Amino acid sequence: MPWILGIFGLLIGAGIAEFWGALALGAAGAWLGLWLKRQGQQGESAPPELRLQVLSLTRRVAQLEALMANLSPASAVAAAVAPATPAAAAGTEVPLAEIREAPSPEPAPAAANEPAAPASAAARGESVELPQPNRLWNWFFGGNALVRIGVLVLFFGVAFLVRYAAEHVDVPIEARLAGIALGAMAMLIVGWRLRERAGGYGLVLQGGGVGVLYLVVFGAFRIWKLVPPELAFALLVVIALASAILAIAQDSRSLASAGITGGFLAPLLASTGQGSHVALFSFYVVLDLGVLFVAWHKAWRALNLLGFVFTFGIGTFWGGSYYRPELYDTTQPFLIVFFLLYVAIAVLYALRRAPRLNDYVDSVLVFGTPLVAAALQLALVREMQYGAAWSAVALGAFYCLAAYQLWRLQRETLQLLVECFIALGVAFATLAIPYAFDGQWTAASWALEGAAALWVGTRQNRSLPRLFGLLLQPAAGVAFLAGAHAAAPAATPILNSGFAGGLSIALSGLFCAWHGSRHRFVKQDLDQVIAAVLLVWGTIWWLATGWHEIEAFAQPEAVRSLQLAYASASALAFVALRHKLDWVAAAYAALALLPVMAIWGLGWHERHPHPFAAYGFAAWPAAFVALYWVLLRVENDAPEPIFRTSHCLALWLLALLGGWECAWQLDAAVGEGRIWSDIGRPLVPALLAAWIATRRGEDHWPFAAHLRTYLAYALAPVMAALWFWVLYINFKASGDPRPLPYLPLLNPLDVAVALLAVVFQLWWRALQRIAVPPLLAQFMAAVPLGLGATGFIWANGVLLRTLHHWAEVPFRLDAMWRSALVQASFSVFWSALALGAMVLANRRRLRPVWMCGAALLAVVVVKLFLLDLQKIGGIERIVSFLGVGVLLLVIGYLAPVPPRKEAQS
């Protein structure tokens, strides 16, 4: 009560004497409220005997807490079960000083049977697994590290010696090359003789000899032109086959790797930058045939990857530095050959590993080969119209045909590889259409390849492909956005690279999120976070791609409505995915429709005058139907607070947009500058609140499951907003009801306020049927006072609007303040209100209400002598004083102060 009367005092004082009047009457109202509160609390204080008993109990509880704080756990238990002391039994108090002076018991000794520290694994006789060193560290510093490093240094030294000799020494080059070749043969012979020596000494020597032979033959052919191309090619084939045979015969991966490394590095070390790319790539074809030969007999993944990296790495470097369109005819065949070779190597590796039933698909080769080959192919055909499209068709057809052949020949053995090839075939066939328009397909292919790599890595429980697939998703998005700036505007809706590429990134992200929700990503505690991020990533790309396509091709006035319809259809699709794939997280993507609708609703006024404009009459109802369908279908898939918030936000958005549309329609029908559009805004929220307040728990969804949410959480802010509207409209609007005449209490504004009062009463009664949250319960306790204050403000607004329309007093604060008629009317009207309140309080024995009426009457008396006596005169002053005097007499006769509670009892 003190703060209510203080606010009344502030409002009245501000109207009478601005700052000082507000300060004085505000303080007076607060003091009066405190006095009334004390009057109401008199006679309710506890008797002295009860206060003494409570004080005694408080002391005894403090003494027990101090005693328990000084006891050990064992002593505390003993004290708890010990019989009461005579003093305690007699109910006497124990002096606190004695408790503090009592010695604290010694701590209990440790239990004899406490478990000893666990013995070490070695003491128990268990085997202890030592950590394995890193493979790279082991290669350099394990075994014959000096020999390996020495051979590597020797290889580079020989290459530099050959070049230096060619420039400074006059010894015939034939003799020098023959000497180097003999040295290499000697290394091979010595290495073969020492092949069984521990540490792989002989194998390292053989690898070095093979590399030197590569260098000699290639130098003799390319640099010094000593041998014809046919002979050089034959010698290189012989060296490649010999190194492969030696590696297979000795089961040595290191020898094979050394031979391949030397072969690939030889042209680079001996190059002068003036050679033919045909010769270089022909030589690399020979080396890759050697890798294929080894893969036919051995499943050596490291050798396959080494050849893959050298072949496509050097090919990419050459293409970026030296390729020109006129070299297409001599470059395209080599790219096709390299692609086919490494697809074959991947298949052979799978055939060798499949009987072990683990890790038989090399995901780097299976997915890396088409990825790198597709990127290089795009560079080759970028000057050709539809070259990328035909290349995609060819790749898709190749993988589908390969999958069919493998399935027909190795149906049970290579099932996973068949699935990978099918995925690649479908991916490239899908991208064939956007390839025909521009080059944004690269980013889309990255996303699809990343999804495939993640899938295979999960199937094989290998972390590298999983990580590779995850990193490709954001990389694809960045590449797509970078390419979008340079791409030409699309000419055809949907059938363009922008839409297909963005859709591919979205679908890849959503697939990774779905797959990750069922399998392990990286670490168990990070998997859910990664899956959630991927779900958000895919959902954003899905919505943004569709919205961008709509904005690019739809009519400007229909863009917002079509985008909202697209989001609604997407939400329904996510609901279908949630039930079809048993993917609970898809429910969150479906619920994204709600924030989209909220953002669209808040920004709608920037383009359109009302929600139903520009096809909004179809988009908004469809969106709300889709939203509530989503809430119905997925309400068990998320925590209760999320769905409680969703139902509340949905109702608030519906009330906001409905009020806006109702106000606009009334404004359009009646005209601006009148009260009709103002009362239209709260009309739809009030009708919604009345409808919800009359529901029962046995009604259909959503009230059967969420009636308490709607009544306690959703409607409370709505009713608070309607209450603020009542306060605002009384100060802001004059209540012009044209074309109707103004009648007090029978005009649109006052009828709307009365309707809101009825709605509030319905909501208040509905709250009595549910368990009200604590915060709302505190609000309900203050509601009677708030309603009284609101009624007082509304009654004064009725008076001012009546004076404005009937007495032509301008509806402005300064004009009202200077009007003698307004001041006299206030005095009489407030006295009449005080009379009514005090009579009611006397009849109902409501002493606080009588005190409020008395306070208002006191304000009127103060106003008469401080304001009316100085600023108004004539008939208005007479009416003020006579009216107030008569009312005071009537009040004194009809409504004396009600008795206190003691007297009533």
Side-chain angles (χ1 to χ4, degrees):
M1 181 179 294
W3 64 273
I4 294 293
L5 294 180
I7 293 176
F8 283 164
L10 285 174
L11 293 175
I12 297 171
I16 296 175
E18 297 182 351
F19 174 74
W20 294 109
L23 182 60
L25 290 183
W31 177 84
L32 180 61
L34 288 174
W35 180 78
L36 293 175
K37 184 176 181 181
R38 291 174 183 172
Q39 292 293 325
Q41 291 177 349
Q42 286 185 358
E44 298 179 358
S45 59
E49 295 81 2
L50 180 59
R51 295 183 60 200
L52 289 176
Q53 292 180 8
V54 172
L55 182 59
S56 177
L57 288 175
T58 304
R59 289 178 178 175
R60 294 173 64 182
V61 169
Q63 292 168 3
L64 289 174
E65 289 179 349
L67 178 62
M68 296 298 293
N70 292 328
L71 294 179
S72 65
S75 301
V77 174
V81 300
T85 62
T92 60
E93 298 184 10
V94 180
L96 186 59
E98 294 182 9
I99 297 176
R100 291 178 177 172
E101 293 173 3
S104 59
E106 294 294 329
N113 56 354
E114 283 185 0
S120 63
R124 294 194 303 267
E126 299 178 2
S127 60
V128 180
E129 183 178 356
L130 298 177
Q132 297 297 324
N134 182 271
R135 290 186 178 181
L136 182 63
W137 177 274
N138 190 41
W139 191 91
F140 278 106
F141 301 103
N144 285 324
L146 294 178
V147 177
R148 297 179 183 179
I149 299 175
V151 169
L152 184 63
V153 173
L154 178 63
F155 180 78
F156 280 88
V158 170
F160 298 146
L161 177 62
V162 170
R163 178 175 295 181
Y164 180 82
E167 297 174 355
H168 299 87
V169 181
D170 295 333
V171 177
I173 189 62
E174 294 85 353
R176 282 179 279 168
L177 292 177
I180 295 174
L182 290 176
M185 296 296 295
M187 292 177 65
L188 285 173
I189 295 173
V190 173
W192 177 261
R193 297 286 299 269
L194 301 177
R195 64 184 181 276
E196 296 181 357
R197 186 172 179 176
Y201 188 90
L203 294 176
V204 175
L205 289 179
Q206 293 177 54
V210 170
V212 172
L213 287 178
Y214 276 130
L215 189 63
V216 169
V217 173
F218 197 84
F221 162 63
R222 259 267 304 271
I223 300 176
W224 295 284
K225 313 297 182 184
L226 298 178
V227 294
E230 297 80 6
L231 179 59
F233 187 79
L235 290 174
L236 292 174
V237 170
V238 170
I239 296 172
L241 290 177
S243 63
I245 292 172
L246 287 174
I248 296 172
Q250 300 172 82
D251 195 18
S252 172
R253 302 185 190 186
S254 60
L255 176 58
S257 299
I260 290 298
T261 302
F264 277 104
L265 289 178
L268 301 181
L269 296 174
S271 173
T272 60
Q274 304 297 323
S276 169
H277 68 282
V278 175
L280 176 67
F281 291 150
S282 299
F283 174 56
Y284 282 172
V285 168
V286 174
L287 293 179
D288 287 332
L289 287 173
V291 175
L292 179 66
F293 177 76
V294 175
W296 187 276
H297 296 86
K298 298 290 183 179
W300 289 344
R301 184 169 182 267
L303 182 66
N304 301 338
L305 294 179
L306 196 64
F308 173 80
V309 170
F310 273 121
T311 299
F312 288 101
I314 296 173
T316 302
F317 172 77
W318 178 87
S321 303
Y322 302 105
Y323 177 75
R324 300 183 304 277
E326 54 268 23
L327 301 178
Y328 172 80
D329 293 337
T330 56
T331 305
Q332 178 71 82
F334 286 108
L335 179 58
I336 296 175
V337 171
F338 290 142
F339 168 75
L340 294 176
L341 281 174
Y342 279 94
V343 170
I345 290 171
V347 173
L348 290 176
Y349 177 81
L351 286 172
R352 291 293 171 189
R353 296 282 295 182
R356 305 183 187 183
L357 300 178
N358 62 341
D359 297 345
Y360 69 86
V361 171
D362 188 344
S363 57
V364 176
L365 287 184
V366 170
F367 296 108
T369 299
L371 178 63
V372 177
L376 294 176
Q377 180 68 16
L378 174 63
L380 293 180
V381 301
R382 62 172 174 255
E383 302 295 336
M384 301 180 184
Q385 187 177 13
Y386 304 117
W390 286 114
S391 300
V393 170
L395 280 172
F398 170 79
Y399 274 108
C400 290
L401 181 61
Y404 171 74
Q405 292 296 331
L406 290 176
W407 178 79
R408 188 172 62 87
L409 299 176
Q410 301 285 339
R411 183 176 306 179
E412 301 296 334
T413 307
L414 299 181
Q415 180 179 357
L416 180 58
L417 185 63
V418 170
E419 294 175 358
C420 296
F421 278 13
I422 292 176
L424 288 170
V426 172
F428 282 109
T430 304
L431 292 175
I433 294 178
Y435 290 173
F437 293 91
D438 57 38
Q440 290 180 336
W441 64 272
T442 303
S445 66
W446 284 2
L448 295 175
E449 298 292 344
L454 177 68
W455 173 60
V456 173
T458 306
R459 290 284 300 268
Q460 295 182 348
N461 194 24
R462 294 172 58 188
S463 59
L464 183 60
R466 290 197 299 265
L467 183 61
F468 177 71
L470 290 174
L471 293 178
L472 272 181
Q473 301 307 314
V478 172
F480 182 88
L481 294 176
H485 294 288
T492 306
I494 298 178
L495 299 179
N496 60 79
S497 62
F499 180 77
L503 209 61
S504 300
I505 297 175
L507 293 176
S508 299
L510 293 174
F511 171 80
C512 293
W514 170 75
H515 195 63
S517 65
R518 284 166 163 71
H519 302 88
R520 182 174 177 270
F521 268 147
V522 182
K523 292 182 179 180
Q524 185 174 3
D525 51 348
L526 291 178
D527 287 347
Q528 296 302 320
V529 176
I530 296 175
V533 171
L534 288 171
L535 177 63
V536 173
W537 170 266
T539 303
I540 291 175
W541 272 95
W542 174 270
L543 293 175
T545 300
W547 290 341
H548 180 270
E549 196 73 4
I550 291 171
E551 191 168 7
F553 293 98
Q555 298 178 358
E557 64 273 10
V559 167
R560 286 284 183 174
S561 296
L562 289 177
Q563 289 176 338
L564 186 60
Y566 178 80
S568 304
S570 301
L572 298 178
F574 279 117
V575 172
L577 287 177
R578 183 264 171 270
H579 293 283
K580 183 70 174 178
L581 302 178
D582 192 22
W583 185 17
V584 177
Y588 293 94
L591 288 174
L593 175 62
L594 180 56
V596 169
M597 292 173 61
I599 295 172
W600 254 238
L602 294 176
W604 195 268
H605 68 280
E606 297 179 359
R607 295 190 179 186
H608 309 297
H610 61 106
F612 279 6
Y615 306 99
F617 63 87
W620 280 112
F624 276 104
V625 170
L627 175 61
Y628 278 99
W629 175 256
V630 169
L631 293 175
L632 171 63
R633 296 290 291 169
V634 302
E635 66 176 348
N636 297 322
D637 296 332
E640 176 63 23
I642 293 180
F643 277 96
R644 182 186 303 165
T645 305
S646 299
H647 281 280
C648 293
L649 290 176
L651 179 66
W652 298 339
L653 183 61
L654 179 60
L656 180 66
L657 294 175
W660 179 13
E661 182 63 31
C662 182
W664 189 90
Q665 294 293 345
L666 287 173
D667 208 11
V670 180
E672 297 183 2
R674 305 173 193 179
I675 195 59
W676 297 98
S677 61
D678 288 328
I679 67 173
R681 291 192 179 275
L683 184 59
V684 172
L687 294 177
L688 282 174
W691 179 60
I692 294 173
T694 56
R695 300 302 93 195
R696 294 293 187 271
E698 60 271 12
D699 289 345
H700 296 293
W701 187 92
F703 304 113
H706 306 285
L707 182 60
R708 182 173 180 269
T709 297
Y710 276 94
L711 289 175
Y713 295 98
L715 283 189
V718 174
M719 301 309 298
L722 294 177
W723 177 63
F724 279 112
W725 179 87
V726 171
L727 297 179
Y728 165 77
I729 203 67
N730 273 281
F731 289 103
K732 180 257 181 185
S734 63
D736 183 5
R738 288 178 297 173
L740 301 178
Y742 181 84
L743 295 175
L745 302 179
L746 294 178
N747 58 83
L749 192 153
D750 294 331
V751 171
V753 173
L755 173 64
L756 294 183
V758 173
V759 172
F760 190 90
Q761 182 67 19
L762 292 174
W763 176 62
W764 184 267
R765 292 180 178 178
L767 288 178
Q768 313 304 318
R769 306 193 304 265
I770 64 172
V772 179
L775 183 61
L776 185 58
Q778 296 177 5
F779 168 76
M780 292 172 63
V783 162
L785 295 178
L787 289 180
T790 305
F792 178 77
I793 295 173
W794 170 64
N796 282 275
V798 173
L799 174 64
L800 293 177
R801 287 189 293 272
T802 303
L803 294 175
H804 167 68
H805 287 283
W806 287 8
E808 298 182 354
V809 178
F811 197 79
R812 299 192 311 273
L813 180 60
D814 56 341
M816 294 285 182
W817 175 251
R818 291 191 301 267
S819 172
L821 177 61
V822 170
Q823 297 298 335
S825 299
F826 271 149
S827 298
V828 176
F829 185 63
W830 290 356
S831 299
L833 290 178
L835 171 62
M838 297 170 77
V839 171
L840 177 65
N842 181 267
R843 299 292 185 269
R844 299 287 182 87
R845 299 294 190 268
L846 301 175
R847 187 178 178 87
V849 177
W850 193 95
M851 293 299 178
C852 289
L856 180 59
L857 197 59
V859 171
V860 172
V861 173
V862 172
K863 176 179 176 294
L864 283 175
F865 288 96
L866 295 183
L867 183 65
D868 295 359
L869 193 61
Q870 298 178 5
K871 292 193 175 182
I872 64 175
I875 191 64
E876 291 86 358
R877 179 189 299 175
I878 296 172
V879 171
S880 296
F881 277 81
L882 288 180
V884 173
V886 171
L887 289 174
L888 285 172
L889 294 176
V890 174
I891 292 170
Y893 177 76
L894 296 178
V897 58
R900 294 176 178 174
K901 293 184 178 180
E902 301 94 313
Q904 294 177 18
S905 60

